[in-house]
Amino acid sequence: LCDIGQLLSTDRHADALVEAAKGLLSDEKSFKKRKVLIDLLQNLEDTSDLESRDEDADWFNGVDARFKTKSAYMKYNCESRIRGYMKEVDDATRSVQKAKVRAEFLKTSKCLVEMLKNDKYNGKYFDRTEKESGRLCTREGWFTCQGSFDQKLCQSLHSINPYGSRESRIVFSTWNLDHRIEKKRTIIPCLLEALQNHKTTDINLIYFYQMLFTRENLKLVHIACHKKGAHNLLCDTRKMFRPGKNAKQDSTVKKKRLI
């Protein structure tokens, strides 16, 4: 316990500890001890306090030259994930048989894109320079796993700082922004079903936008906490339509679709 306590307060002696760990690692034969030393080095050799490409060139190895700061790249990283969700909405157009429904779905899709543009594709979630209320990380860049869709907290206490090193940045790409109510199995089919006998103007687009693209329905999870089986959570039929526009709802959407 004394040794661990010293390791957790090594700011003054971090450089010496790094050199000592490297020396031990070169001769260590035990796989368990090697893992402990490697994990220790990965966390001690942290450059999260550096932000620009000029300051930390190694972090930007493999990153497009147009990105000059870590925060700018991380913001783009999040935007790309959200854009991917929008593409899946667009791709669903192909499955629509009725021309009238397809036309309404395209209108809905365009409205959702405009909402995303206004919110800059929610890239703020990964940007440590954003206000605390907007980002998912600390000011230093630490992210904490929010646990699987059916849990309130991560039981393993997973955490990572992709701003700290190139390796951590790459590992962070395996973390997921997971939809509690599933995007492809539930939300998109529910939206399509709602448009069978309704117009885009009848739909509560804010609700579907929140379910598809915001923290209202997204959880940041470590890959080990990402459960890929059916979540068995359904959209709330009371929120799918704008007030006064759900007169046809009873006949077109099953009331059992509740969260």
Side-chain angles (χ1 to χ4, degrees):
L1 288 175
C2 180
D3 290 341
I4 292 174
Q6 290 180 347
L7 287 175
L8 293 174
S9 57
T10 54
D11 287 348
R12 288 186 302 155
H13 309 290
D15 292 341
L17 187 60
V18 167
E19 292 306 313
K22 286 181 177 178
L24 289 170
L25 185 61
S26 62
D27 298 323
E28 183 56 60
K29 303 301 181 183
S30 166
F31 287 108
K32 286 186 178 181
K33 290 182 180 178
R34 285 179 64 87
K35 184 182 186 307
V36 170
L37 289 168
I38 290 170
D39 289 347
L40 177 64
L41 284 170
Q42 286 176 351
N43 285 283
L44 286 176
E45 294 182 305
D46 179 274
T47 59
S48 58
D49 57 321
L50 306 178
E51 173 69 8
S52 71
R53 182 181 285 269
D54 291 337
E55 293 174 315
D56 193 359
D58 182 67
W59 191 94
F60 288 88
N61 187 8
V63 173
D64 193 288
R66 72 179 186 273
F67 297 106
K68 305 304 180 184
T69 65
K70 294 178 180 179
S71 297
Y73 175 76
M74 292 301 296
K75 182 177 182 178
Y76 166 79
N77 183 285
C78 188
E79 289 175 359
S80 297
R81 299 190 191 207
I82 300 296
R83 287 176 188 272
Y85 302 157
M86 188 63 232
K87 185 179 184 303
E88 290 184 66
V89 175
D90 290 334
D91 289 346
T93 308
R94 303 170 190 166
S95 66
V96 183
Q97 301 298 317
K98 298 179 182 178
K100 186 176 180 180
V101 177
R102 187 184 305 113
E104 289 299 326
F105 188 74
L106 286 171
K107 289 181 186 177
T108 299
S109 180
K110 288 180 181 178
C111 289
L112 290 173
V113 169
E114 288 304 312
M115 294 169 76
L116 277 172
K117 287 180 179 179
N118 289 334
D119 284 338
K120 299 180 180 178
Y121 289 87
N122 292 322
K124 60 187 178 183
Y125 292 161
F126 290 178
D127 183 355
R128 66 179 178 179
T129 66
E130 284 284 342
K131 294 180 180 178
E132 185 176 358
S133 59
R135 50 184 159 86
L136 284 168
C137 61
T138 66
R139 180 62 68 185
E140 295 73 29
W142 281 97
F143 291 83
T144 301
C145 174
Q146 297 175 320
S148 60
F149 77 94
D150 55 353
Q151 295 179 333
K152 290 184 178 180
L153 297 170
C154 171
Q155 303 300 308
S156 300
L157 304 178
H158 295 121
S159 62
I160 190 171
N161 189 343
Y163 288 85
S165 69
R166 175 174 174 268
E167 183 167 338
S168 292
R169 168 175 65 77
I170 294 171
V171 171
F172 184 69
S173 66
T174 66
W175 285 48
N176 293 274
L177 275 174
D178 187 33
H179 290 80
R180 287 186 61 254
I181 300 174
E182 295 171 282
K183 175 178 71 273
K184 294 184 76 171
R185 284 192 178 109
T186 305
I187 303 172
I188 295 175
C190 194
L191 179 57
L192 283 168
E193 187 176 352
L195 287 168
Q196 293 299 313
N197 293 291
H198 292 82
K199 295 182 178 179
T200 299
T201 51
D202 297 334
I203 304 299
N204 182 359
L205 291 179
I206 293 177
Y207 173 69
F208 282 101
Y209 175 82
Q210 291 175 332
M211 293 299 100
L212 287 164
F213 309 117
T214 77
R215 294 166 66 179
E216 288 288 325
N217 190 43
L218 291 172
K219 297 187 75 176
L220 181 67
V221 296
H222 183 280
I223 188 170
C225 291
H226 185 205
K227 296 181 180 179
K228 296 186 177 181
H231 292 188
N232 295 318
L233 296 175
L234 301 170
C235 291
D236 190 338
T237 57
R238 298 166 299 180
K239 298 179 180 179
M240 286 168 42
F241 298 91
R242 295 173 59 195
K245 297 292 184 179
N246 59 345
K248 303 175 186 177
Q249 182 178 346
D250 290 346
S251 61
T252 59
V253 181
K254 296 179 180 179
K255 283 191 174 181
K256 68 176 183 179
R257 287 185 172 250
L258 298 175
I259 295 176

